[in-house]
Amino acid sequence: MSEMKQILDRLTEIGFDIKDIKTDVAELKTDVAGLKTSVGNLESSVEQIKTRQEIIIEQTAGLLEFRTETKAILLEIQDSQLATSDILGEHEISIRGLRQRLV
């Protein structure tokens, strides 16, 4: 009977060990479920970041195009201003010449 008692005791220990393992597995399942939720949230956040990044890239491209167009327009205005200044300078010389003749 002593051997039976040892076997029974050992089986009882194994039963307790199995209960502990089941508890650990249940905790792991809960942890994995939490991780799945966290990963899902991260994936959603990454998608939002990607969408915002695409919008920023599009807006930056638009701003660069606007900058290029504005720069070209400013150069045209500068050229026109120089031409106007040259014309006004010539007219001023002509006007002064006429004044001197009148005197």
Side-chain angles (χ1 to χ4, degrees), residues 25-80:
V25 167
E27 289 176 6
L28 284 173
K29 284 182 179 180
T30 302
D31 291 347
V32 167
L35 286 173
K36 284 181 180 179
T37 301
S38 295
V39 168
N41 291 339
L42 282 173
E43 288 174 345
S44 176
S45 295
V46 167
E47 285 303 316
Q48 289 176 356
I49 290 170
K50 284 181 181 179
T51 301
R52 289 177 182 161
Q53 182 182 20
E54 289 172 4
I55 291 169
I56 289 169
I57 289 170
E58 288 175 14
Q59 290 177 346
T60 301
L63 288 172
L64 288 173
E65 183 179 339
F66 176 76
R67 179 185 176 270
T68 302
E69 290 172 1
T70 303
K71 189 174 180 180
I73 291 169
L74 287 174
L75 287 174
E76 287 178 27
I77 291 171
Q78 183 180 16
D79 289 343
S80 294

Side-chain angles (χ1 to χ4, degrees), residues 7-23:
I7 291 173
L8 188 58
D9 288 345
R10 184 66 184 139
L11 285 175
T12 303
E13 281 181 37
I14 291 173
F16 288 134
D17 289 344
I18 289 173
K19 284 182 183 178
D20 288 343
I21 290 171
K22 284 182 178 179
T23 301

